[in-house]
Amino acid sequence: MKVNNAMPDQSMKNQSVLSPMKNLSIMSSGVAGETKNVPAITVYKFGKAISVKSSDITCLEGVGNYTFVYTRHEKHLVSKCLKEVQDELSSDFLRIHKSYSINARHITSRWPDYIHLSCGKVIPIARRRVRETHEILGRMALSA
């Protein structure tokens, strides 16, 4: 009797499987004639892909290798670390804490050690980033 020591079918290894865990991408706006790319995150809700524009995101909260994406009314989970998500979104996001990045367009008020956002969240500013954060936000307010 001859034993077949051949490797399993290699085509099985090369097949990509769509996974809701790989749910971060840059989407372009679908408006005809518009060449500007609008950064967005694709999140999965009840098995359906939903695109969330960066302008709708109020803040990002990193928890290990996962990031919670907050909008004004919803909270989504993506399986990327905070740095990866922030790098793929627009420059409006400012890292103010080890675990938080905020969208400067959604700030309702700021205090020396925390910031209020339009979604109602209060985000602490890390002690090491207080001066830098207020300088950047001051420059953004002057240029707007």
Side-chain angles (χ1 to χ4, degrees):
M1 180 158 86
K2 189 173 186 178
V3 177
N4 186 0
N5 290 334
M7 294 292 290
D9 186 13
Q10 292 297 321
S11 65
M12 294 289 285
K13 282 186 177 179
N14 295 333
Q15 289 180 353
S16 65
V17 177
L18 293 177
S19 169
M21 298 308 282
K22 297 184 185 283
N23 56 3
L24 181 68
S25 63
I26 297 293
M27 307 284 289
S28 62
S29 64
V31 179
E34 186 176 337
T35 58
K36 180 182 173 188
N37 283 339
V38 177
I41 295 177
T42 301
V43 297
Y44 290 86
K45 186 172 185 177
F46 303 117
K48 294 186 179 185
I50 300 170
S51 180
V52 180
K53 294 187 295 185
S54 66
S55 59
D56 294 337
I57 299 171
T58 58
C59 72
L60 306 168
E61 179 182 4
V63 181
N65 288 329
Y66 296 92
T67 301
F68 286 103
V69 177
Y70 291 90
T71 63
R72 293 199 73 197
H73 305 290
E74 294 182 310
K75 174 180 166 181
H76 305 282
L77 179 67
V78 292
S79 62
K80 300 280 184 177
C81 68
L82 180 59
K83 182 179 181 351
E84 291 178 49
V85 175
Q86 185 176 349
D87 287 346
E88 294 197 27
L89 292 172
S90 66
S91 60
D92 289 336
F93 285 86
L94 179 62
R95 186 79 172 255
I96 63 169
H97 191 277
K98 178 182 178 184
S99 300
Y100 293 100
S101 182
I102 61 166
N103 187 339
R105 296 174 188 260
H106 287 277
I107 295 174
T108 55
S109 65
R110 62 181 170 142
W111 297 88
D113 55 347
Y114 57 91
I115 291 178
H116 285 266
L117 298 174
S118 61
C119 64
K121 276 187 83 64
V122 178
I123 308 293
I125 302 173
R127 286 176 290 165
R128 296 161 81 183
R129 299 180 191 222
V130 168
R131 186 178 61 200
E132 176 189 4
T133 299
H134 288 294
E135 287 174 2
I136 291 170
L137 291 174
R139 283 191 301 238
M140 290 174 90
L142 289 175
S143 66

